[in-house]
């Protein structure tokens, strides 16, 4: 016989008690792990362990729970574990309720401490000087391209990339008024660019005002009965705004990639990425020889960007991401070959390949 509603709820209550008890039992072991890490001067956050755990959980998940939901649950369980082991501070490009904040939350959860910084340089400085344990910075967007300021900072600060985050960020139009009453639209220049077609088709005569962040845009819209903002659902919730239209970005596959910077180097997982920067020697064919080295070693590049070296006219730095770990034999051979054609080669970090995370 089928159970009635009260009996079903009673069973759920029983399971909830068991779940809470098991989480607390898990945390008792987490505390012991934290004590061991402190005694052995080991890192609190271990990206390779995180990746292995999430992959293992997916293999033992028989449903109906979706893997995406399972990862979100364990994100908060692991966040609580990190906070239990040691106070951890995460710097990010502020203010709060931006996509950078969302990316940081998606990686470290809500149990750790967050430091909103005014600029990308401030995030690097916080990590470089030990004011923060980790930093989260944007590096590229699938619509607008590389974040060049982040690339430039890697040549100035002594930090390493220890993880990456692929955030499928959806832009939303929000306001206190109805769509027909919108007289001005606020947002960050990049967010406005990502929604260029939508805004042209729906608000061709409404002025767009660029502000420092999507979070600031939402704050301004909350103070004006005839203003709207393009921002995240997180910003709408924080400012009491109504979502007039959701997912208004022109490219539905719009993804922003963030990097986690730290003063540690993760161990290989078998599914890793390495980032490097190199400066070429002043000779004919130097770049061609460097690119040929990747093919010769069977190393697949996933990104290449050039930036002025800021030394003399015509000098450039080349930033490259490729598959593999800095300890892999083929990567070591590649670096050795690049050194023959470059003034210098700097490994910015090897880290686990990140999964795509959706944020409204």
């Amino acid at each position: 016989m089928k159970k009635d509603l009260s009996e079903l709820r009673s069973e759920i209550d029983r399971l909830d008690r068991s779940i809470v008890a098991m989480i607390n039992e898990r945390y008792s072991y987490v505390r012991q792990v934290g004590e061991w890490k402190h005694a052995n001067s080991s890192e609190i956050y271990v990206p390779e362990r995180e990746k292995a755990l999430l992959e293992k959980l997916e293999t033992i998940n028989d449903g109906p729970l979706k893997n995406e939901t399972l990862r979100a649950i364990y994100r908060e369980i692991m966040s609580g574990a990190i906070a239990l082991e040691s106070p951890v501070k995460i710097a990010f490009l502020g203010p709060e309720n931006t996509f950078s904040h969302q990316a940081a939350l998606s990686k470290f959860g809500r149990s750790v401490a967050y430091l909103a910084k005014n600029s990308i340089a401030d995030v690097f400085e916080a990590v470089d000087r030990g004011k923060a344990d980790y930093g989260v910075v944007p590096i590229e967007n699938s619509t607008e391209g590389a974040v060049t300021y982040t690339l430039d900072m890697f040549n100035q600060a002594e930090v390493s990339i220890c993880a990456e985050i692929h955030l499928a960020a959806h832009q939303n139009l929000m306001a206190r008024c109805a769509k027909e009453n919108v007289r001005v639209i606020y947002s960050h220049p990049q967010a406005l660019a990502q929604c260029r077609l939508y805004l042209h088709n729906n608000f061709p005569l409404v002025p767009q005002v660029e502000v420092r962040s999507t979070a600031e845009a939402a704050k301004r819209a909350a103070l004006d009965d005839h203003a709207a903002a393009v921002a995240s659902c997180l910003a709408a919730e924080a400012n009491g705004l109504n979502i007039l239209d959701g997912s208004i970005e022109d490219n539905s596959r719009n993804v922003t990639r963030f990097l986690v910077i730290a003063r540690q180097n993760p161990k290989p997982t078998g599914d890793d990425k390495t980032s490097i920067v190199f400066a070429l020697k002043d000779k004919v064919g130097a770049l061609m020889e460097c690119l040929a080295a990747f093919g010769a070693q069977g190393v697949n590049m996933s990104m290449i960007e050039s930036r002025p070296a800021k030394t003399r006219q015509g000098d450039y730095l080349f930033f490259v991401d490729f598959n593999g770990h800095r300890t892999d034999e083929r990567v070591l051979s590649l670096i050795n070959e690049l050194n023959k054609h470059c003034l210098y080669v700097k490994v910015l970090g090897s880290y686990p390949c990140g999964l795509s995370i959706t944020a409204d």
Side-chain angles (χ1 to χ4, degrees):
M1 291 181 62
K2 290 185 177 180
K3 296 181 179 180
D4 62 26
L5 182 60
S6 62
E7 290 177 314
L8 292 171
R9 286 175 172 170
S10 178
E11 287 298 308
I12 290 174
D13 289 343
R14 177 184 62 79
L15 289 170
D16 284 340
R17 287 191 293 270
S18 297
I19 290 170
V20 171
M22 285 188 286
I23 291 175
N24 279 307
E25 182 181 1
R26 187 183 194 278
Y27 276 9
S28 69
Y29 288 101
V30 166
R31 183 178 282 115
Q32 295 177 55
V33 170
E35 292 171 354
W36 184 93
K37 287 180 178 179
H38 282 294
N40 292 273
S41 300
S42 182
E43 302 293 349
I44 297 300
Y45 169 62
V46 185
E48 59 270 30
R49 163 63 178 167
E50 173 192 56
K51 182 178 178 67
L53 174 60
L54 291 175
E55 289 178 347
K56 182 178 68 176
L57 290 171
E58 290 186 10
T59 64
I60 63 176
N61 178 30
D62 294 327
L65 181 67
K66 294 181 179 179
N67 283 333
E68 184 178 3
T69 305
L70 181 65
R71 289 195 300 269
I73 292 169
Y74 264 83
R75 168 61 51 230
E76 295 305 324
I77 290 176
M78 289 187 288
S79 178
I82 291 172
L84 190 64
E85 290 181 20
S86 178
V88 172
K89 296 179 181 178
I90 314 298
F92 68 94
L93 177 61
E96 294 182 348
N97 303 317
T98 58
F99 286 113
S100 290
H101 187 201
Q102 183 68 54
L105 288 169
S106 73
K107 172 59 69 173
F108 293 99
R110 296 180 179 273
S111 296
V112 299
Y114 287 96
L115 305 174
K117 295 297 180 179
N118 293 326
S119 68
I120 291 173
D122 289 341
V123 176
F124 274 83
E125 180 192 33
V127 177
D128 199 16
R129 297 191 177 185
K131 298 175 184 177
D133 300 284
Y134 302 92
V136 176
V137 291
I139 186 64
E140 63 175 326
N141 177 266
S142 58
T143 302
E144 296 300 308
V147 181
T148 55
Y149 197 78
T150 299
L151 293 175
D152 291 341
M153 284 305 303
F154 276 113
N155 217 36
Q156 302 176 34
E158 291 302 318
V159 300
S160 296
I161 304 168
C162 72
E164 67 174 357
I165 308 159
H166 296 269
L167 191 70
H170 295 302
Q171 302 288 359
N172 307 276
L173 185 76
M174 58 196 67
R176 293 172 56 187
C177 61
K179 285 175 66 173
E180 58 267 24
N181 295 326
V182 172
R183 300 292 178 264
V184 62
I185 298 174
Y186 295 103
S187 198
H188 185 274
Q190 193 174 66
L192 292 172
Q194 291 171 8
C195 307
R196 190 177 289 115
L197 183 61
Y198 167 87
L199 294 173
H200 173 75
N201 290 339
N202 291 273
F203 300 93
L205 302 179
V206 175
Q208 300 170 21
V209 178
E210 297 181 354
V211 294
R212 195 175 69 87
S213 68
T214 52
E216 181 182 337
K219 288 181 180 179
R220 291 200 183 195
L223 298 174
D224 187 339
D225 287 336
H226 296 285
V230 175
S232 68
C233 285
L234 196 66
E237 182 180 349
N239 292 279
L241 296 172
N242 299 317
I243 302 292
L244 304 182
D245 277 327
S247 300
I248 64 171
E249 63 278 359
D250 298 335
N251 181 1
S252 61
R253 297 179 180 178
N254 180 45
V255 174
T256 300
R257 178 174 168 237
F258 295 82
L259 298 177
V260 179
I261 57 174
R263 299 180 302 280
Q264 70 185 72
N265 294 304
K267 295 178 181 178
T269 67
D271 181 26
D272 303 291
K273 186 180 292 184
T274 295
S275 298
I276 64 172
V277 58
F278 59 82
L280 296 173
K281 291 180 180 178
D282 188 9
K283 66 173 186 177
V284 175
L287 179 58
M288 185 179 297
E289 290 172 335
C290 288
L291 297 180
F294 285 88
Q297 296 298 330
V299 174
N300 181 45
M301 289 189 293
S302 56
M303 184 194 80
I304 181 168
E305 289 283 341
S306 64
R307 292 291 296 149
K310 300 182 180 179
T311 51
R312 63 177 183 174
Q313 182 70 27
D315 286 349
Y316 283 85
L317 299 174
F318 292 86
F319 293 83
V320 178
D321 293 341
F322 57 86
N323 295 339
H325 193 275
R326 67 198 303 170
T327 60
D328 294 347
E329 185 175 340
R330 62 193 178 95
V331 174
L332 291 171
S333 297
L334 170 65
I335 300 300
N336 287 334
E337 185 64 25
L338 290 176
N339 277 315
K340 297 176 183 179
H341 312 292
C342 299
L343 294 173
Y344 74 89
V345 180
K346 180 181 180 182
V347 178
L348 302 178
S350 292
Y351 45 94
C353 292
L355 295 171
S356 182
I357 301 168
T358 300
D360 293 326

